[in-house]
Amino acid sequence: MSPSIERRTTLDAVSKAIVEQLQEDGRRSYAEIGKVVGLSETATRQRVQKLQDAGILQIVAVTDPMQLGFARQAMIGVRVSGDTRVVAAEMAELPGVIYVVSTAGSFDLLVEVVCESDDDLIDLLNDRIRALPDVVSTETFVYLKLHRQLYNWGTR
């Protein structure tokens, strides 16, 4: 298996402005965004669709899981003995896993999870994550309170 080549998409100024408008308010109408960026409502809608189709943009509702009945949220540092890409793909398929990233440092992967209870977190750790053949060790960082969560860092 050869390493994947990362492709960075270069956005023009209009697409960047659209992304920034949606980062401020994902419910903003295409007509409102179009006025700001200098496009018609239809052209704005088409641009947003192209950004979504390219995987550059998702429009979602961001919530605080703890306020929605998920009593336990945690970040799990995972050390792997084999190919981290394989383990990352396996982790990404597990229920409760919402974020997987390969890292350089003391952990090979960081895995964010949302669980309904401590028992669910224990089950996920013992029955699913630690049961994967190439997982050597884990360290769990339980979230006590969400203080800040932003997604409006803009574009480059």
Side-chain angles (χ1 to χ4, degrees), residues 5-143:
I5 298 171
E6 284 190 37
R7 287 179 279 150
R8 183 174 175 202
T9 303
T10 304
L11 300 180
D12 66 13
V14 173
S15 290
K16 287 179 182 181
I18 289 171
V19 169
E20 289 168 357
Q21 288 291 306
L22 289 167
Q23 283 179 326
E24 286 178 21
D25 181 357
R27 298 174 301 159
R28 194 165 283 158
S29 73
Y30 295 126
E32 288 177 85
I33 295 168
K35 286 179 188 174
V36 172
V37 303
L39 293 176
S40 69
E41 179 179 351
T42 301
T44 303
R45 183 182 311 106
Q46 290 170 345
R47 282 273 188 131
V48 169
Q49 188 62 54
K50 284 181 184 177
L51 291 168
Q52 288 176 307
D53 292 346
I56 295 168
L57 174 70
Q58 288 181 348
I59 301 171
V60 298
V62 178
T63 62
D64 179 348
M66 291 183 178
Q67 294 201 32
L68 295 176
F70 295 93
R72 190 53 65 220
Q73 189 171 6
M75 182 68 70
I76 303 167
V78 181
R79 291 182 183 91
V80 174
S81 65
D83 188 335
T84 57
R85 296 169 294 185
V86 171
V87 178
E90 292 170 335
M91 292 278 186
E93 297 300 317
L94 296 177
V97 171
I98 61 169
Y99 176 86
V100 178
V101 63
S102 297
T103 64
S106 59
F107 298 108
D108 298 304
L109 302 172
L110 291 177
V111 178
E112 189 172 15
V113 300
V114 176
C115 300
E116 290 185 30
S117 67
D118 286 337
D119 287 337
D120 287 341
L121 176 58
I122 291 168
D123 291 345
L124 179 60
L125 280 166
N126 288 324
D127 300 340
R128 306 258 182 162
I129 293 174
R130 292 180 182 143
L132 294 173
D134 290 329
V135 171
V136 173
S137 66
T138 64
E139 186 172 345
T140 303
F141 303 90
V142 173
Y143 297 2

Side-chain angles (χ1 to χ4, degrees), residues 142-156:
V142 173
Y143 297 2
L144 299 176
K145 181 177 181 178
L146 178 63
H147 292 275
R148 183 175 180 152
Q149 182 176 355
L150 297 176
Y151 295 95
N152 60 347
W153 54 81
T155 59
R156 300 197 94 181

